[in-house]
Amino acid sequence: MTASLFPRLEPRLSSVSKPIQYVGGELNSTVKDWDCAPEGEETVRWSLMYPDAYEVGLPNQGVQILYEVLNERDWILAERTYAVWPDMEAVMREEQIPQFTVDGHRAVRDFDVLGISFATELGYTNMLNALDLAGIALHAVDRGEDEPIVLGGGHAAFNPEPVADFIDAAVLGDGEQAVLLISDVIREWKGEGRPGGREELLRRLAMLGSVYVPRFYDVTYGEDGAIEAVVPNRPGIPYRVTKHTLMDLDAWPYPAKPLVPLAETVHERFSVEIFRGCTRGCRFCQAGMITRPVRERSISTIGAMVENGIRASGFEEVGLLSLSSADHTEIGEMATDLADRYEGTNVSLSLPSTRVDAFNITLANEFSRNGRRSGLTFAPEGGSERMRKVINKMVSVDDLIDTVATAYSHGWRQVKLYFMCGLPTETDEDVLEIAELAKRVIATGREVSGRNDIRCTVSIGGFVPKPHTPFQWAQQLDHETTDERLRKLREDVRADKKYARAIGFRYHDGRPGIVEGLLSRGDRRVGKVIEESWRAGGRFDGWSEHFSYDRWAAAAEVGLAGTGVDLDWYTTRGREQDEVLPWDHLDSGLDKDWLWSDWEDALAAGEDPDGPAGEVEDCRWTPCYDCGVCPEMGTDIQIGPTGQRLLPLAVV
Amino acid sequence: MSRAQPEQQAPPVQRLRVRYAKRGRMRFTSHRDFSRAFERALVRARVPMAYSSGFNPHPRISYAGASPTGSASEAEYLEIGLAQVLDPADVARTLAGSLPPGLDVVEVADVATARTGGLTELLQASRWRVETDLPVTTARAGVTDFLALESVPVERMTKKGLRTFDCRTAVLHLEVEDAEVDAAGRPGSTLDLLLRHTVPSVRPDDVLTGIRSCSSLPLPDRVLLTRLAQGPLTPAEDGLEDPLSAAPAPG
């Protein structure tokens, strides 16, 4: 039994900003008895953390899905916890209130598992802060028998080596089934009277195949600083840990009970994931590489999830999520049928990510049938045709211009374009072409619409090479050059009075990207850097007002002292084919030889854009190109069309 | 392509006044938090709302004098405009089922049968319960000093900066109750406060600040503010009437 910490928290809540984020009680949230399992059975208890502020963490689909899947079992209890803001941290340290869950206000330390979802590496310092506030030993090796298993998941967990000192285990891949398998193991182990302690529990988890337990692997380094080998240090532990893949998404229609916060959050909408995975083959995209193969939900399931979600949440905006939503085999029918269903209501639908080449105006019209024309967003990613060949996102300028012309002529006034800066082989010229593109977009828009109030917003992010992608070997561009390129681009746009006012610019400086690069491709030695940065006050690194490059640079100096490697070694250094990468023993299914040949194709396309290094097409509509995932994982593409249509809803 | 004028929306056919409470931990909802939650509850409850005209139509909801974040309330009021005539009791029931526990609908009344006057006009004053951890005798001494004065200036940081205003004139009644423990059995004192709504508004925490400025009252460690009632003042200005009570029969 663990007591609620709320009575100790409550008197101080009026002194912190936005206290509502700490009180829980959201619609559709669940508070169970601490011993919820049927008489005589073991209860398994999870606290689930999204390591960022409540306003960012609450809408996170991954956490909401796992929260619901776990709580559906009568023998499992799952509660949520988020990173607390510095003002609340001060109160908690002063009053000695430990990290708590927002559901039952129970101490995180009292649960069996602390599951942390890492959508981005920039949450690592928040994890350390939460562990420290929770009173859980920072280093996994120091944890006692009564402390929770600290378990990482999410995309960043595909290289958990930088946090290997702090987590007990990491799950690779889709979580829905994986958390239930893990819960089974814990229940059994507890039921047997916890034989062999946490070491034995971790061994059993490691035997599942999708759970990586860093302490069971030894890492050795060569004289050049690179990894020599990663080897299991006890019998029976698998050499490679493979990702878990959830098949038949129709059987897992979550979230069915979406959490509705009282506080304002970053996404005020209900989202349905219409498919998982993407095989478009963009070489920079980690999500598209590690979530293969494509698995669609059917139009019928999506229709039911949308209706249920609106009714259960009261949200009037519905997002149809995926990595490239217009690629769903039944997107046209879905758009029309949903627009028919909700005609005359205030329900609005949105497609958060649409490829230029998959966009069509019929689709866009259906999604804006109720009159709301939010801006259209496209992501060409590369400024020049050459760059787009390097990244394998083959969108021609003419396609893009045709698409935006159609949009502007149908009444849209605002188009947003996303690009990356710092891609492999990029030069100043490639980035300056972004300006030319934006100007053409405005000129075309003015021409076809006959109006002058046409706008185009250009958003630019710094490219960060990610594990398990063809660009995992790439040199990251140093932040000075990134900033210089962006400055030239900005000047170029500003200099042209004809267009300057119609083009908006959004970008960040290159320095956070370098830290993200360190954390993305780092190995176990980076753990000391993270700890050092946190000890120096590092929190909320995804927030520009809290992020400090200087703090990270200083932490890297201290943390990497004596290793022979430094911040540049991890970031701006290119890797050779035979280098052992820190995540080589973690299997996303992708064949490393295929990744390397795709990387070579990228470089060849950069040398000679019209040469033989051709486009990698999508295996949904062209033959398999042997990326390795399906045979390695025993999976298959699951796509429609099902040929079904959505019926009108009965009027209640 | 010319910009089309937005469609004109029909005016509401019925207006309802809703009294709701903010209880327990829900007292930490800010007014913005509440209004978002309330609009979503209307959707979930499928209340046929009337909408405002304009490019971005909004459901017709008017809020009156929201209590400050952190204070509980038994008597908050708002008014909604409907596109269909409904039984207020039905609306109360479906709305109650659609709001999170702690944001509780207390009563719904039809404006057509209510007493005359706009909601803001009717809500002339509030009755507050102020619970502190200070002993009754200490609190009584402070209150006596405060009530002996004709005006007590206090400062508060507002959106427009630091402002100084009088917090004494708005106090119509202030008394320390006899009970020496609160509902949870903790020792302390409870103040009964009748406060006129003024501009700038005087809040119960301003009154506490005022008492401390003119007496030796120490800073309490624990204060819980609860609005018990709001409404028109009785003719003697010593109590409140129910703002939702039916209009007195003519004659």
Side-chain angles (χ1 to χ4, degrees):
Chain A
M1 193 60 200
T2 182
S4 171
L5 295 162
F6 195 69
R8 291 175 57 201
L9 209 52
E10 186 173 17
R12 300 296 303 269
L13 278 178
S14 290
S15 69
V16 301
S17 64
K18 300 183 194 162
I20 190 69
Q21 65 185 310
Y22 304 114
V23 309
E26 301 90 344
L27 201 82
N28 297 325
S29 60
T30 308
V31 181
K32 287 182 164 184
D33 285 342
W34 188 244
D35 292 299
C36 63
E39 193 65 37
E41 286 179 39
E42 291 292 337
T43 300
V44 175
R45 306 178 183 100
W46 290 70
S47 63
L48 300 172
M49 177 176 201
Y50 191 86
D52 203 334
Y54 179 88
E55 62 199 79
V56 179
L58 182 118
N60 181 265
Q61 288 270 302
V63 173
Q64 287 204 22
I65 291 169
L66 299 186
Y67 177 73
E68 196 173 335
V69 166
L70 289 167
N71 275 322
E72 275 185 0
R73 272 70 195 171
D74 63 2
W75 53 280
I76 305 178
L77 169 154
E79 302 200 349
R80 296 159 297 129
T81 184
Y82 304 94
V84 299
W85 286 115
D87 61 345
M88 182 54 134
E89 183 188 335
V91 166
M92 288 163 68
R93 292 194 186 278
E94 194 185 314
E95 305 271 344
Q96 297 187 321
I97 299 171
Q99 179 81 22
F100 55 87
T101 61
V102 297
D103 298 289
H105 294 93
R106 289 160 168 152
V108 163
R109 195 184 189 279
D110 292 343
F111 288 74
D112 295 314
V113 188
L114 168 58
I116 308 178
S117 175
F118 289 118
T120 140
E121 298 82 3
L122 294 175
Y124 290 162
T125 49
N126 281 351
M127 167 181 70
L128 294 194
N129 205 42
L131 290 175
D132 185 58
L133 282 169
I136 297 172
L138 210 57
H139 297 110
V141 291
D142 298 331
R143 275 175 209 142
E145 290 297 328
D146 63 336
E147 294 186 66
I149 297 294
V150 178
L151 182 72
H155 288 183
F158 274 83
N159 177 26
E161 290 299 82
V163 288
D165 289 349
F166 316 116
I167 59 172
D168 292 292
V171 193
L172 268 55
D174 300 317
E176 290 96 330
Q177 279 174 322
V179 291
L180 296 176
L181 293 171
I182 290 167
S183 300
D184 280 333
V185 171
I186 297 172
R187 172 162 68 167
E188 199 180 297
W189 171 78
K190 284 174 80 173
E192 292 168 12
R194 307 175 188 242
R198 61 193 287 124
E199 196 79 357
E200 169 60 12
L201 174 58
L202 289 170
R203 194 195 62 83
R204 291 186 189 186
L205 292 175
M207 301 306 281
L208 284 172
S210 303
V211 178
Y212 171 56
V213 180
R215 72 175 66 178
F216 294 158
Y217 297 80
D218 289 333
V219 182
T220 48
Y221 303 93
E223 297 212 334
D224 59 352
I227 293 172
E228 207 167 58
V230 180
V231 194
N233 56 22
R234 67 193 64 198
I237 299 297
Y239 268 81
R240 279 163 75 77
V241 180
T242 54
K243 74 164 178 182
H244 191 276
T245 310
L246 183 76
M247 302 303 289
D248 189 13
L249 265 62
D250 280 351
W252 298 82
Y254 300 97
K257 288 168 62 190
L259 291 168
V260 187
L262 285 145
E264 188 168 14
T265 61
V266 292
H267 292 303
E268 297 282 315
R269 61 172 171 253
F270 173 67
S271 295
V272 174
E273 188 182 17
I274 63 173
F275 63 89
R276 199 171 291 178
C278 179
T279 36
R280 286 285 194 158
C282 302
R283 292 180 174 124
F284 55 84
C285 179
Q286 187 190 39
M289 292 288 162
I290 61 177
T291 60
R292 296 170 173 219
V294 170
R295 290 144 288 153
E296 285 188 355
R297 282 204 167 100
S298 68
I299 182 172
S300 314
T301 303
I302 293 164
M305 287 177 73
V306 168
E307 173 61 12
N308 171 67
I310 293 169
R311 294 300 159 220
S313 68
F315 285 125
E316 293 191 297
E317 190 185 334
V318 179
L320 301 181
L321 284 190
S322 76
L323 292 171
S324 174
S325 292
D327 284 345
H328 192 286
T329 55
E330 295 177 288
I331 191 68
E333 292 82 353
M334 206 185 302
T336 305
D337 294 357
L338 288 173
D340 282 349
R341 269 192 176 178
Y342 298 107
E343 177 113 49
T345 71
N346 286 293
V347 172
S348 67
L349 300 160
S350 63
L351 277 192
S353 48
T354 322
R355 283 177 64 100
V356 172
D357 44 7
F359 174 88
N360 66 68
I361 201 70
T362 323
L363 199 59
N365 277 333
E366 294 293 25
F367 278 110
S368 59
R369 215 198 279 174
N370 74 354
R372 287 189 203 171
R373 291 220 161 150
S374 51
L376 288 174
T377 303
F378 300 109
E381 313 283 3
S384 67
E385 192 115 3
R386 188 182 76 83
M387 234 39 267
R388 293 191 290 273
K389 285 190 171 161
V390 168
I391 63 177
N392 196 48
K393 195 160 188 182
M394 310 288 205
V395 177
S396 73
V397 177
D398 291 339
D399 279 350
L400 179 71
I401 296 299
D402 286 350
T403 301
V404 297
T406 315
Y408 284 128
S409 66
H410 281 78
W412 270 271
R413 295 277 167 267
Q414 162 105 5
V415 168
K416 281 189 212 156
L417 300 176
Y418 277 106
F419 296 93
M420 281 190 290
C421 176
L423 288 162
T425 79
E426 181 186 274
T427 63
D428 287 4
E429 284 66 42
D430 294 305
V431 172
L432 289 175
E433 277 197 42
I434 295 173
E436 295 317 306
L437 202 57
K439 289 180 207 170
R440 264 191 74 184
V441 163
I442 296 295
T444 310
R446 286 176 182 167
E447 192 186 312
V448 298
S449 68
R451 301 173 61 98
N452 251 330
D453 60 350
I454 296 300
R455 295 251 333 142
C456 172
T457 305
V458 173
S459 291
I460 305 180
F463 165 65
V464 179
K466 294 278 174 163
H468 304 281
T469 68
F471 287 172
Q472 64 185 355
W473 290 280
Q475 286 178 272
Q476 187 174 355
L477 188 63
D478 61 274
H479 62 86
E480 292 88 351
T481 313
T482 302
D483 293 348
E484 182 58 15
R485 268 186 201 156
L486 292 175
R487 191 192 58 76
K488 285 180 185 157
L489 173 62
R490 190 183 177 82
E491 234 164 54
D492 187 308
V493 173
R494 276 198 175 159
D496 197 332
K497 291 283 169 268
K498 210 171 151 198
Y499 299 110
R501 293 187 55 187
I503 299 173
F505 248 119
R506 284 199 193 146
Y507 63 90
H508 296 291
D509 76 273
R511 296 186 304 174
I514 290 293
V515 172
E516 197 187 330
L518 167 74
L519 301 176
S520 293
R521 291 194 294 173
D523 52 40
R524 292 188 181 185
R525 292 170 293 189
V526 172
K528 285 208 170 57
V529 181
I530 300 170
E531 186 174 339
E532 195 62 36
S533 180
W534 168 71
R535 290 198 188 280
R539 315 273 189 279
F540 292 97
D541 285 305
W543 298 70
S544 52
E545 60 269 49
H546 291 276
F547 176 83
S548 160
Y549 180 77
D550 294 338
R551 182 165 52 219
W552 276 103
E557 288 280 327
V558 178
L560 296 172
T563 60
V565 296
D566 59 12
L567 183 54
D568 288 347
W569 189 86
Y570 285 104
T571 54
T572 56
R573 178 183 66 97
R575 276 73 160 165
E576 298 297 328
Q577 184 177 10
D578 57 359
E579 181 169 334
V580 178
L581 301 172
W583 51 91
D584 277 352
H585 57 300
L586 304 176
D587 190 3
S588 57
L590 296 157
D591 178 13
K592 197 176 177 188
D593 290 336
W594 176 77
L595 285 173
W596 179 262
S597 70
D598 204 44
W599 168 229
E600 287 191 313
D601 284 352
L603 295 177
E607 286 285 321
D608 178 9
D610 303 313
E615 179 179 359
V616 180
E617 296 205 49
D618 194 310
C619 59
R620 276 171 289 181
W621 41 82
T622 59
C624 168
Y625 48 82
D626 295 325
C627 75
V629 172
C630 290
E632 175 78 16
M633 298 290 151
T635 53
D636 230 328
I637 303 172
Q638 292 183 330
I639 55 173
T642 62
Q644 291 165 349
R645 298 299 295 254
L646 298 177
L647 300 170
L649 294 167
V651 179
V652 181
Chain B
M1 180 186 260
S2 71
R3 182 169 284 175
Q5 281 305 303
E7 199 184 329
Q8 285 298 303
Q9 305 281 339
V13 298
Q14 183 185 32
R15 287 184 300 137
L16 297 178
R17 284 181 184 158
V18 179
R19 174 180 172 181
Y20 66 96
K22 269 166 61 173
R23 294 173 177 148
R25 57 186 172 176
M26 287 300 144
R27 69 185 169 96
F28 295 106
T29 47
S30 70
H31 178 57
R32 276 165 50 85
D33 298 334
F34 174 80
S35 59
R36 238 186 344 263
F38 186 72
E39 285 185 34
R40 282 176 194 149
L42 288 169
V43 174
R44 279 193 298 273
R46 306 195 189 197
V47 175
M49 293 297 292
Y51 280 78
S52 63
S53 298
F55 282 102
N56 201 355
H58 279 284
R60 289 186 181 271
I61 308 171
S62 6
Y63 299 92
S67 64
T69 307
S71 58
S73 177
E74 290 297 317
E76 300 295 293
Y77 292 89
L78 57 82
E79 195 171 296
I80 56 178
L82 302 191
Q84 265 177 50
V85 177
L86 297 178
D87 179 351
D90 286 343
V91 174
R93 213 170 14 255
T94 55
L95 262 183
S98 301
L99 279 164
L103 295 178
D104 302 329
V105 172
V106 178
E107 188 183 354
V108 177
D110 195 329
V111 173
T113 58
R115 54 201 297 161
T116 51
L119 197 48
T120 315
E121 216 177 303
L122 288 169
L123 303 180
Q124 293 170 348
S126 289
R127 167 148 262 134
W128 288 90
R129 183 173 65 209
V130 181
E131 293 165 276
T132 77
D133 59 341
L134 301 173
V136 168
T137 45
T138 315
R140 280 213 172 111
V143 165
T144 309
D145 291 347
F146 177 81
L147 291 175
L149 298 171
E150 294 223 325
S151 91
V152 179
V154 288
E155 284 183 334
R156 172 156 46 94
M157 191 55 85
T158 70
K159 279 176 190 145
K160 290 172 188 162
L162 193 65
R163 295 191 56 168
T164 304
F165 52 91
D166 171 38
C167 72
R168 172 65 187 86
T169 320
V171 174
L172 299 171
H173 176 82
L174 175 60
E175 195 181 345
V176 181
E177 294 177 3
D178 294 334
E180 292 186 345
V181 287
D182 64 12
R186 292 175 297 192
S189 51
T190 303
L191 281 63
D192 175 38
L193 171 64
L194 185 63
L195 204 49
R196 188 199 300 272
H197 297 169
T198 52
V199 181
S201 70
V202 175
R203 305 193 318 204
D205 47 322
D206 296 326
V207 176
L208 275 183
T209 309
I211 298 173
R212 292 187 49 234
S213 75
C214 65
S215 72
S216 56
L217 192 77
L219 183 68
D221 281 335
R222 175 170 58 78
V223 178
L224 176 60
L225 307 173
T226 308
R227 172 140 63 190
L228 298 176
Q230 278 193 87
L233 281 162
T234 53
E237 299 202 337
D238 57 354
L240 296 172
E241 293 172 1
D242 181 0
L244 298 189
S245 65

